Amino acid sequence: YDPDKFDNGMDGDTYYEVVERDIKQAIKLLKKKPPVIEEPVIEKITDFKELVKRLKFIRNNAELVVLDYETTGLKPTNPGHRIAANAITYESGGDVFNISYPISYKGWFSEKQQDRIKELTAEILKSDIPKVGHHIKFEEIWGDKILGTPTKNWIWCTMYCAHILDERPKHCSLKTQAFIYFQAPPYE
């Protein structure tokens, strides 16, 4: 293997020129202050009326939605498995908001209220709003089986992107990616 014959698609640049340029860029970055990452504000909504109001707002006004289910298992087809809670990050009017809420978390809502929450969450899934998730295949299966609808308009899977950036085992989890790129401390 001769690096000088490597076709890197860059007009006339050799492998060594690319490496030299990358190292110089890295040294420049070392002189910059690291970005300050603010702790995200996650609004936990457990009041039924407030939750219904917010889900309707998201359905009608969100420009982008990021979904993350917290489930009682890996497969929704197993008896008794449910979506215990959901987190939604959404953009509306140029601002970003984060909410989390129980769906079928024991002790929070009546069965009738849970059905209404599932219905409103499903309406968001069926909408044309662009959607993002981490391991969207998982979110898709759970939304289809538990909420009764496939998710429309997935545009990005952060786990697939993590595999492209670094395919080593154990480096593609959301927690690991959050730590690597945003120095987010471990969380439960």
Side-chain angles (χ1 to χ4, degrees), residues 48 109-119:
F48 178 71
F109 298 119
S110 70
E111 197 168 315
K112 185 177 177 181
Q113 289 173 323
Q114 289 178 34
D115 289 343
R116 181 67 177 138
I117 293 166
K118 288 177 188 177
E119 178 185 311

XYZ file of all heavy atoms in Angstrom, residues 48 109-119:
109
model
N -52.314 15.572 34.064
C -52.971 15.073 32.861
C -53.419 16.204 31.926
O -53.153 16.162 30.726
C -54.155 14.175 33.223
C -54.898 13.657 32.024
C -54.329 12.703 31.201
C -56.162 14.144 31.720
C -55.012 12.235 30.081
C -56.845 13.685 30.603
C -56.272 12.721 29.784
N -51.552 7.571 35.915
C -52.795 7.925 35.233
C -53.749 6.739 35.207
O -53.326 5.587 35.211
C -52.519 8.365 33.788
C -51.656 9.595 33.681
C -50.440 9.554 33.040
C -52.081 10.812 34.207
C -49.644 10.687 32.933
C -51.298 11.946 34.106
C -50.075 11.894 33.470
N -55.058 7.062 35.125
C -56.060 6.008 34.995
C -55.908 5.366 33.617
O -55.241 5.905 32.730
C -57.471 6.597 35.141
O -57.769 7.404 34.009
N -56.544 4.227 33.432
C -56.478 3.540 32.143
C -57.049 4.418 31.025
O -56.500 4.481 29.927
C -57.222 2.206 32.219
C -56.844 1.271 31.087
C -57.360 -0.149 31.322
O -57.220 -0.650 32.448
O -57.899 -0.708 30.358
N -58.139 5.125 31.313
C -58.742 6.023 30.328
C -57.778 7.165 29.975
O -57.639 7.518 28.803
C -60.060 6.582 30.883
C -60.830 7.427 29.906
C -62.158 7.883 30.511
C -62.895 8.789 29.535
N -64.156 9.274 30.086
N -57.108 7.724 30.967
C -56.138 8.791 30.714
C -54.951 8.259 29.917
O -54.470 8.923 28.988
C -55.656 9.395 32.041
C -56.708 10.221 32.743
C -56.255 10.660 34.121
O -55.576 9.919 34.851
N -56.651 11.874 34.504
N -54.483 7.057 30.246
C -53.389 6.444 29.493
C -53.775 6.266 28.032
O -52.965 6.521 27.133
C -53.007 5.094 30.103
C -52.312 5.198 31.431
C -51.987 3.840 32.014
O -51.689 2.889 31.289
N -52.043 3.742 33.336
N -55.007 5.844 27.778
C -55.469 5.677 26.395
C -55.437 7.010 25.647
O -55.048 7.065 24.482
C -56.879 5.080 26.360
C -56.914 3.618 26.777
O -55.841 2.966 26.779
O -58.015 3.131 27.113
N -55.834 8.088 26.317
C -55.825 9.417 25.683
C -54.393 9.878 25.402
O -54.105 10.439 24.343
C -56.555 10.429 26.572
C -56.611 11.814 25.990
C -57.473 11.864 24.733
N -57.564 13.234 24.253
C -57.493 13.582 22.973
N -57.382 12.664 22.027
N -57.567 14.850 22.634
N -53.483 9.616 26.328
C -52.077 9.976 26.133
C -51.489 9.193 24.962
O -50.782 9.748 24.119
C -51.272 9.741 27.432
C -51.740 10.715 28.516
C -49.774 9.886 27.186
C -51.257 10.360 29.907
N -51.808 7.902 24.894
C -51.334 7.077 23.774
C -51.886 7.602 22.446
O -51.177 7.661 21.441
C -51.747 5.617 23.975
C -50.992 4.902 25.064
C -51.524 3.484 25.221
C -50.951 2.776 26.401
N -51.531 1.434 26.584
N -53.164 7.973 22.454
C -53.802 8.494 21.244
C -53.114 9.774 20.759
O -52.824 9.917 19.572
C -55.282 8.765 21.545
C -56.076 9.349 20.398
C -57.489 9.691 20.854
O -58.143 8.839 21.479
O -57.919 10.836 20.595
